[in-house]
Short mmCIF file of all heavy atoms in Angstrom, two decimals:
data_model
loop_
_atom_site.label_atom_id
_atom_site.label_comp_id
_atom_site.label_asym_id
_atom_site.label_seq_id
_atom_site.Cartn_x
_atom_site.Cartn_y
_atom_site.Cartn_z
N SER A 5 0.54 11.42 1.72
CA SER A 5 0.80 12.51 2.66
C SER A 5 -0.53 13.00 3.23
O SER A 5 -1.58 12.86 2.60
CB SER A 5 1.51 13.66 1.96
OG SER A 5 0.64 14.31 1.05
N PRO A 6 -0.49 13.57 4.43
CA PRO A 6 -1.74 14.07 5.04
C PRO A 6 -2.46 15.09 4.16
O PRO A 6 -3.69 15.09 4.07
CB PRO A 6 -1.27 14.70 6.35
CG PRO A 6 0.00 13.99 6.68
CD PRO A 6 0.64 13.68 5.36
N THR A 7 -1.72 15.95 3.48
CA THR A 7 -2.33 16.96 2.62
C THR A 7 -3.06 16.30 1.45
O THR A 7 -4.20 16.65 1.12
CB THR A 7 -1.26 17.94 2.08
OG1 THR A 7 -0.54 18.49 3.17
CG2 THR A 7 -1.89 19.06 1.27
N GLU A 8 -2.42 15.32 0.85
CA GLU A 8 -3.03 14.62 -0.28
C GLU A 8 -4.27 13.84 0.19
O GLU A 8 -5.28 13.80 -0.50
CB GLU A 8 -2.02 13.66 -0.91
CG GLU A 8 -2.53 12.98 -2.17
CD GLU A 8 -1.49 12.08 -2.81
OE1 GLU A 8 -0.30 12.15 -2.44
OE2 GLU A 8 -1.89 11.30 -3.69
N PHE A 9 -4.17 13.26 1.37
CA PHE A 9 -5.31 12.53 1.94
C PHE A 9 -6.51 13.45 2.12
O PHE A 9 -7.64 13.11 1.76
CB PHE A 9 -4.92 11.90 3.28
CG PHE A 9 -6.05 11.24 3.98
CD1 PHE A 9 -6.56 10.02 3.54
CD2 PHE A 9 -6.66 11.84 5.08
CE1 PHE A 9 -7.62 9.40 4.18
CE2 PHE A 9 -7.72 11.24 5.73
CZ PHE A 9 -8.20 10.02 5.29
N ILE A 10 -6.28 14.63 2.69
CA ILE A 10 -7.37 15.59 2.91
C ILE A 10 -7.97 16.02 1.57
O ILE A 10 -9.19 16.14 1.45
CB ILE A 10 -6.86 16.81 3.73
CG1 ILE A 10 -6.57 16.35 5.16
CG2 ILE A 10 -7.89 17.94 3.72
CD1 ILE A 10 -5.90 17.38 6.02
N GLN A 11 -7.14 16.23 0.57
CA GLN A 11 -7.65 16.60 -0.77
C GLN A 11 -8.52 15.47 -1.33
O GLN A 11 -9.57 15.73 -1.94
CB GLN A 11 -6.49 16.91 -1.71
CG GLN A 11 -5.77 18.19 -1.39
CD GLN A 11 -4.51 18.39 -2.23
OE1 GLN A 11 -4.05 17.45 -2.88
NE2 GLN A 11 -3.95 19.59 -2.19
N GLN A 12 -8.09 14.23 -1.15
CA GLN A 12 -8.88 13.10 -1.64
C GLN A 12 -10.21 12.98 -0.89
O GLN A 12 -11.24 12.68 -1.51
CB GLN A 12 -8.08 11.80 -1.49
CG GLN A 12 -6.91 11.70 -2.44
CD GLN A 12 -6.08 10.46 -2.20
OE1 GLN A 12 -6.35 9.67 -1.29
NE2 GLN A 12 -5.05 10.26 -3.03
N VAL A 13 -10.18 13.22 0.40
CA VAL A 13 -11.41 13.17 1.19
C VAL A 13 -12.38 14.25 0.70
O VAL A 13 -13.58 13.99 0.53
CB VAL A 13 -11.11 13.33 2.70
CG1 VAL A 13 -12.40 13.56 3.48
CG2 VAL A 13 -10.37 12.12 3.23
N LYS A 14 -11.90 15.45 0.49
CA LYS A 14 -12.76 16.54 -0.02
C LYS A 14 -13.34 16.18 -1.38
O LYS A 14 -14.52 16.43 -1.65
CB LYS A 14 -11.97 17.84 -0.10
CG LYS A 14 -11.71 18.49 1.24
CD LYS A 14 -10.95 19.80 1.07
CE LYS A 14 -10.66 20.44 2.41
NZ LYS A 14 -9.90 21.70 2.26
N ALA A 15 -12.52 15.59 -2.26
CA ALA A 15 -12.99 15.22 -3.60
C ALA A 15 -14.08 14.14 -3.50
O ALA A 15 -15.10 14.22 -4.21
CB ALA A 15 -11.83 14.72 -4.44
N GLU A 16 -13.90 13.16 -2.64
CA GLU A 16 -14.90 12.11 -2.50
C GLU A 16 -16.17 12.63 -1.83
O GLU A 16 -17.28 12.23 -2.19
CB GLU A 16 -14.33 10.93 -1.69
CG GLU A 16 -13.28 10.13 -2.42
CD GLU A 16 -13.78 9.50 -3.70
OE1 GLU A 16 -14.92 8.98 -3.72
OE2 GLU A 16 -13.05 9.56 -4.70
N THR A 17 -16.02 13.52 -0.86
CA THR A 17 -17.18 14.10 -0.19
C THR A 17 -18.02 14.92 -1.16
O THR A 17 -19.25 14.95 -1.05
CB THR A 17 -16.72 14.97 1.00
OG1 THR A 17 -15.93 14.18 1.89
CG2 THR A 17 -17.91 15.51 1.78
N ALA A 18 -17.38 15.56 -2.11
CA ALA A 18 -18.10 16.35 -3.10
C ALA A 18 -18.97 15.47 -4.00
O ALA A 18 -19.97 15.93 -4.55
CB ALA A 18 -17.13 17.16 -3.94
N LYS A 19 -18.62 14.20 -4.13
CA LYS A 19 -19.38 13.27 -4.97
C LYS A 19 -20.62 12.71 -4.27
O LYS A 19 -21.49 12.14 -4.90
CB LYS A 19 -18.50 12.08 -5.38
CG LYS A 19 -17.33 12.45 -6.25
CD LYS A 19 -16.50 11.20 -6.53
CE LYS A 19 -15.20 11.53 -7.22
NZ LYS A 19 -14.38 10.31 -7.42
N VAL A 20 -20.69 12.89 -2.96
CA VAL A 20 -21.79 12.32 -2.18
C VAL A 20 -23.07 13.11 -2.45
O VAL A 20 -23.07 14.33 -2.51
CB VAL A 20 -21.46 12.36 -0.66
CG1 VAL A 20 -22.65 11.92 0.17
CG2 VAL A 20 -20.25 11.51 -0.36
N TYR A 21 -24.20 12.35 -2.61
CA TYR A 21 -25.50 12.99 -2.76
C TYR A 21 -26.02 13.31 -1.37
O TYR A 21 -26.24 12.41 -0.56
CB TYR A 21 -26.48 12.07 -3.49
CG TYR A 21 -27.90 12.58 -3.45
CD1 TYR A 21 -28.28 13.64 -4.28
CD2 TYR A 21 -28.82 12.04 -2.58
CE1 TYR A 21 -29.58 14.12 -4.22
CE2 TYR A 21 -30.12 12.52 -2.53
CZ TYR A 21 -30.48 13.57 -3.36
OH TYR A 21 -31.76 14.05 -3.29
N TRP A 22 -26.21 14.59 -1.08
CA TRP A 22 -26.74 15.01 0.21
C TRP A 22 -28.21 15.32 0.05
O TRP A 22 -28.61 16.14 -0.77
CB TRP A 22 -25.99 16.25 0.71
CG TRP A 22 -24.53 16.00 0.92
CD1 TRP A 22 -23.51 16.35 0.10
CD2 TRP A 22 -23.94 15.29 2.01
NE1 TRP A 22 -22.32 15.92 0.61
CE2 TRP A 22 -22.54 15.28 1.78
CE3 TRP A 22 -24.44 14.68 3.15
CZ2 TRP A 22 -21.66 14.66 2.66
CZ3 TRP A 22 -23.55 14.07 4.02
CH2 TRP A 22 -22.18 14.06 3.77
N PRO A 23 -29.08 14.65 0.81
CA PRO A 23 -30.52 14.90 0.68
C PRO A 23 -30.89 16.31 1.14
O PRO A 23 -30.23 16.88 2.02
CB PRO A 23 -31.15 13.84 1.59
CG PRO A 23 -30.09 13.44 2.54
CD PRO A 23 -28.78 13.66 1.84
N SER A 24 -31.96 16.81 0.55
CA SER A 24 -32.44 18.14 0.95
C SER A 24 -33.09 18.05 2.32
O SER A 24 -33.36 16.96 2.84
CB SER A 24 -33.45 18.65 -0.07
OG SER A 24 -34.63 17.86 0.00
N ARG A 25 -33.36 19.20 2.90
CA ARG A 25 -34.01 19.23 4.21
C ARG A 25 -35.38 18.56 4.14
O ARG A 25 -35.77 17.80 5.02
CB ARG A 25 -34.14 20.69 4.67
CG ARG A 25 -34.81 20.83 6.03
CD ARG A 25 -34.81 22.29 6.49
NE ARG A 25 -35.39 22.44 7.78
CZ ARG A 25 -34.75 22.28 8.94
NH1 ARG A 25 -33.47 21.97 8.91
NH2 ARG A 25 -35.37 22.44 10.08
N ARG A 26 -36.12 18.82 3.06
CA ARG A 26 -37.45 18.24 2.88
C ARG A 26 -37.36 16.72 2.81
O ARG A 26 -38.17 16.02 3.43
CB ARG A 26 -38.09 18.79 1.62
CG ARG A 26 -39.50 18.31 1.39
CD ARG A 26 -40.14 18.98 0.17
NE ARG A 26 -41.54 18.65 0.06
CZ ARG A 26 -42.01 17.54 -0.51
NH1 ARG A 26 -41.17 16.65 -1.01
NH2 ARG A 26 -43.30 17.31 -0.57
N GLU A 27 -36.40 16.20 2.05
CA GLU A 27 -36.24 14.74 1.95
C GLU A 27 -35.89 14.12 3.31
O GLU A 27 -36.40 13.06 3.66
CB GLU A 27 -35.14 14.40 0.95
CG GLU A 27 -35.51 14.68 -0.49
CD GLU A 27 -34.34 14.52 -1.44
OE1 GLU A 27 -33.20 14.88 -1.07
OE2 GLU A 27 -34.57 14.03 -2.55
N THR A 28 -35.06 14.81 4.06
CA THR A 28 -34.67 14.31 5.38
C THR A 28 -35.86 14.28 6.33
O THR A 28 -36.07 13.30 7.05
CB THR A 28 -33.54 15.18 5.97
OG1 THR A 28 -32.45 15.22 5.04
CG2 THR A 28 -33.06 14.66 7.29
N VAL A 29 -36.66 15.35 6.32
CA VAL A 29 -37.84 15.42 7.19
C VAL A 29 -38.85 14.35 6.78
O VAL A 29 -39.41 13.66 7.64
CB VAL A 29 -38.47 16.83 7.15
CG1 VAL A 29 -39.83 16.84 7.83
CG2 VAL A 29 -37.53 17.83 7.80
N MET A 30 -39.08 14.19 5.48
CA MET A 30 -40.05 13.19 5.01
C MET A 30 -39.60 11.78 5.40
O MET A 30 -40.42 10.95 5.80
CB MET A 30 -40.23 13.29 3.49
CG MET A 30 -40.97 14.55 3.05
SD MET A 30 -42.60 14.70 3.77
CE MET A 30 -43.44 13.38 2.93
N THR A 31 -38.33 11.51 5.28
CA THR A 31 -37.80 10.19 5.66
C THR A 31 -37.98 9.97 7.16
O THR A 31 -38.38 8.88 7.59
CB THR A 31 -36.32 10.07 5.27
OG1 THR A 31 -36.18 10.30 3.87
CG2 THR A 31 -35.76 8.71 5.62
N ALA A 32 -37.70 10.97 7.97
CA ALA A 32 -37.85 10.85 9.42
C ALA A 32 -39.32 10.61 9.79
O ALA A 32 -39.62 9.78 10.65
CB ALA A 32 -37.32 12.10 10.11
N VAL A 33 -40.22 11.32 9.13
CA VAL A 33 -41.66 11.14 9.40
C VAL A 33 -42.08 9.72 9.03
O VAL A 33 -42.82 9.06 9.77
CB VAL A 33 -42.49 12.19 8.63
CG1 VAL A 33 -43.97 11.84 8.64
CG2 VAL A 33 -42.26 13.57 9.21
N MET A 34 -41.61 9.23 7.90
CA MET A 34 -41.94 7.86 7.48
C MET A 34 -41.44 6.84 8.49
O MET A 34 -42.13 5.86 8.80
CB MET A 34 -41.36 7.57 6.09
CG MET A 34 -42.07 8.29 4.97
SD MET A 34 -43.80 7.87 4.85
CE MET A 34 -43.70 6.17 4.34
N VAL A 35 -40.26 7.04 9.01
CA VAL A 35 -39.70 6.12 10.01
C VAL A 35 -40.57 6.12 11.26
O VAL A 35 -40.90 5.05 11.81
CB VAL A 35 -38.24 6.49 10.35
CG1 VAL A 35 -37.76 5.77 11.58
CG2 VAL A 35 -37.33 6.20 9.17
N VAL A 36 -40.98 7.29 11.72
CA VAL A 36 -41.81 7.38 12.92
C VAL A 36 -43.17 6.72 12.67
O VAL A 36 -43.65 5.93 13.51
CB VAL A 36 -41.99 8.85 13.36
CG1 VAL A 36 -43.05 8.97 14.44
CG2 VAL A 36 -40.66 9.41 13.83
N VAL A 37 -43.79 6.99 11.53
CA VAL A 37 -45.11 6.41 11.22
C VAL A 37 -45.02 4.89 11.13
O VAL A 37 -45.83 4.18 11.72
CB VAL A 37 -45.67 7.02 9.91
CG1 VAL A 37 -46.88 6.22 9.41
CG2 VAL A 37 -46.03 8.48 10.11
N LEU A 38 -44.03 4.38 10.40
CA LEU A 38 -43.90 2.93 10.27
C LEU A 38 -43.57 2.27 11.60
O LEU A 38 -44.05 1.17 11.88
CB LEU A 38 -42.83 2.59 9.22
CG LEU A 38 -43.27 2.84 7.77
CD1 LEU A 38 -42.12 2.62 6.82
CD2 LEU A 38 -44.43 1.96 7.40
#
Side-chain angles (χ1 to χ4, degrees):
S5 70
T7 306
E8 185 178 347
F9 175 74
I10 290 173
Q11 289 172 347
Q12 290 176 358
V13 169
K14 286 181 181 179
E16 290 299 318
T17 304
K19 296 178 189 177
V20 174
Y21 170 76
W22 298 102
S24 68
R25 180 176 182 85
R26 183 176 188 276
E27 289 172 323
T28 304
V29 169
M30 290 301 291
T31 303
V33 168
M34 288 300 292
V35 167
V36 170
V37 167
L38 286 174

